[in-house]
Amino acid sequence: MGAKLSPGMRIFVTSFATILAMVVVAGSMMLLGLFDDMIESRLITFVVNLFVAIINISLISYLMKKLDHVHIKEMGFRVERKDLFFVLTAFIVTLTLILSYVGVLIHHNFISGTFNISLLKELNFYLLFLVACIGWIFAASHEEVLTRGYFMKNLSHRKILSMLLISPLLFTIIHIPFRGLNPAMLLTWFFGGISYSYLYLKSGSLSVTTLVHAIHNITNDLAFYNLPNFSLFSLAENLTSHYKGYYELLLCISIIFLTFIFYGKNGFFTPAHNLSNFWEKHKNEVKVEQVNKNSVTP
C-alpha cells in the first residue's frame, strides 16, 4: 500500500484520518452535553486531551506501518540532560518574554489590563497550572508526532528550507477546521510551527518539541486569554491580531536562536544525526519509487 502512495498523498491520508478522529471525539462530547464544559473546565480538557492523544498517536503509528513501513520510535523521542536543560531554559525565556510583552503593552496604554498578583498566593492556581501542563503535553504530543515527525519524514526528500516552511503551513491548515480563520491564531500556528520544526531538525527529539509546544500553549493561557482563576492578566479586550503576531514572531526568533545555541554545532541547517539516518531511508525509497514509475511509463 505504501509504495502506491506518494509522500504528499501519505500526508493527506494521515491528516484526514487524524482530523476525522478529532471530529468523532468532539461529536461525542457534544452528544454527552460536555462540549461547553470542556472549554471552561481544565479537568475535562485534560481528560479529552489524554484520549485524543492516545487515539491519534495510535492511529498515526498504525498508518506509519501501513503506508511507510516504519515504526513510530524511529522518529526520535530520546531525552538527555542537555534536552532537559534546553526545555527549562525555553520555559524561562518564554514566560519572561510573554509577561514582559503584555506588561509593556499595558504600561504604554496600547491595551488595558491589570496583573493578577493575588493568584500567585492561591493554591488552586498551582493545581490548575499542574493540570494544564499535563493536559497541554498530551495535546501537543499527537500534533508533534503528526506535523513534525510524520510530515517532515515525508518532506525529507525536499530541501531543508522547503521542509521547514511546508511543515508549519500544514500545521496551520489542520487547525483551521476546528479553530477557524482568526488571523491572530493563524500567525500563532505558523510561527510556532516554524520554531518547532527547526527545533526538531536540530534536536532530533519529538519529546523536546512536545514540551516546548506545551510551554507555548500554557504561557499563552497565562497571559492572553482571560481564563478565570488562571490567567495572570485581566485584559479589558483580547489582543488584536497584529499585537499577537508581533509576540509570536519574537518568540519564534527566540526559540530558533536558543535552539541554535544548544544544538547548532554541526551547522545551521544540518539535521540531528538520528534524523539524517531516518530520513535517508525515505529519500532512498522515493528514488526507488521514481525509478519504478519511470520504468513503466511508455
Side-chain angles (χ1 to χ4, degrees):
M1 183 177 180
K4 298 179 181 180
L5 292 181
S6 66
M9 281 302 300
R10 293 177 192 179
I11 288 174
F12 174 78
V13 169
T14 310
S15 300
F16 180 80
T18 301
I19 291 174
L20 182 61
M22 294 177 70
V23 168
V24 170
V25 172
S28 301
M29 296 296 294
M30 290 181 181
L31 290 174
L32 294 171
L34 296 174
F35 192 78
D36 291 336
D37 293 334
M38 180 184 71
I39 297 174
E40 298 177 0
S41 171
R42 283 287 153 200
L43 182 59
I44 294 177
T45 301
F46 164 78
V47 174
V48 171
N49 285 336
L50 172 61
F51 277 103
V52 169
I54 292 173
I55 292 170
N56 279 346
I57 290 176
S58 299
L59 178 61
I60 295 167
S61 179
Y62 172 78
L63 290 173
M64 283 186 66
K65 290 180 181 179
K66 290 296 182 180
L67 300 179
D68 302 78
H69 310 297
V70 297
H71 195 280
I72 194 171
K73 290 182 180 179
E74 294 183 61
M75 291 180 175
F77 291 90
R78 66 101 178 88
V79 178
E80 299 176 353
R81 184 179 300 177
K82 180 172 72 173
D83 302 315
L84 293 175
F85 187 46
F86 174 87
V87 171
L88 177 60
T89 305
F91 173 71
I92 294 171
V93 168
T94 304
L95 185 61
T96 301
L97 180 62
I98 198 168
L99 294 181
S100 301
Y101 183 77
V102 177
V104 168
L105 291 179
I106 292 174
H107 179 73
H108 291 284
N109 298 316
F110 291 110
I111 60 174
S112 299
T114 57
F115 183 68
N116 299 324
I117 193 170
S118 60
L119 277 180
L120 299 177
K121 302 176 183 178
E122 298 178 10
L123 177 60
N124 187 54
F125 168 78
Y126 296 99
L127 294 176
L128 286 174
F129 182 78
L130 179 60
V131 171
C133 286
I134 299 173
W136 276 125
I137 288 172
F138 283 124
S141 62
H142 68 87
E143 291 186 351
E144 290 304 307
V145 168
L146 176 67
T147 59
R148 249 58 65 187
Y150 191 73
F151 286 0
M152 291 179 70
K153 183 262 182 190
N154 277 287
L155 292 168
S156 59
H157 60 286
R158 296 177 173 270
K159 293 182 179 180
I160 294 294
L161 185 58
S162 176
M163 185 198 314
L164 292 176
L165 291 176
I166 295 175
S167 176
L169 180 61
L170 294 172
F171 178 61
T172 301
I173 291 172
I174 65 171
H175 280 83
I176 292 175
F178 299 96
R179 304 294 292 275
L181 289 168
N182 182 293
M185 296 309 299
L186 292 176
L187 289 172
T188 294
W189 301 323
F190 185 69
F191 286 136
I194 289 177
S195 59
Y196 309 146
S197 297
Y198 184 69
L199 176 56
Y200 180 51
L201 176 80
K202 299 304 296 179
S203 70
S205 174
L206 289 173
S207 298
V208 175
T209 64
T210 294
L211 291 173
V212 173
H213 187 163
I215 288 169
H216 184 183
N217 292 341
I218 293 163
T219 53
N220 279 358
D221 284 352
L222 287 173
F224 288 148
Y225 298 137
N226 278 329
L227 298 175
N229 302 314
F230 190 71
S231 293
L232 292 175
F233 290 99
S234 293
L235 303 178
E237 67 281 332
N238 291 329
L239 291 186
T240 57
S241 297
H242 62 284
Y243 287 143
K244 188 72 164 58
Y246 294 153
Y247 167 73
E248 295 299 338
L249 178 59
L250 286 173
L251 180 61
C252 176
I253 293 171
S254 299
I255 295 299
I256 290 175
F257 178 71
L258 193 63
T259 299
F260 182 71
I261 290 176
F262 273 76
Y263 301 105
K265 292 182 178 180
N266 60 345
F268 193 81
F269 285 122
T270 306
H273 182 68
N274 64 308
L275 290 186
S276 294
N277 294 335
F278 178 49
W279 291 344
E280 191 62 34
K281 297 179 184 178
H282 171 70
K283 293 177 184 178
N284 292 335
E285 176 188 307
V286 171
K287 290 178 182 178
V288 170
E289 289 180 4
Q290 189 62 45
V291 169
N292 292 338
K293 182 179 178 180
N294 292 337
S295 65
V296 298
T297 301

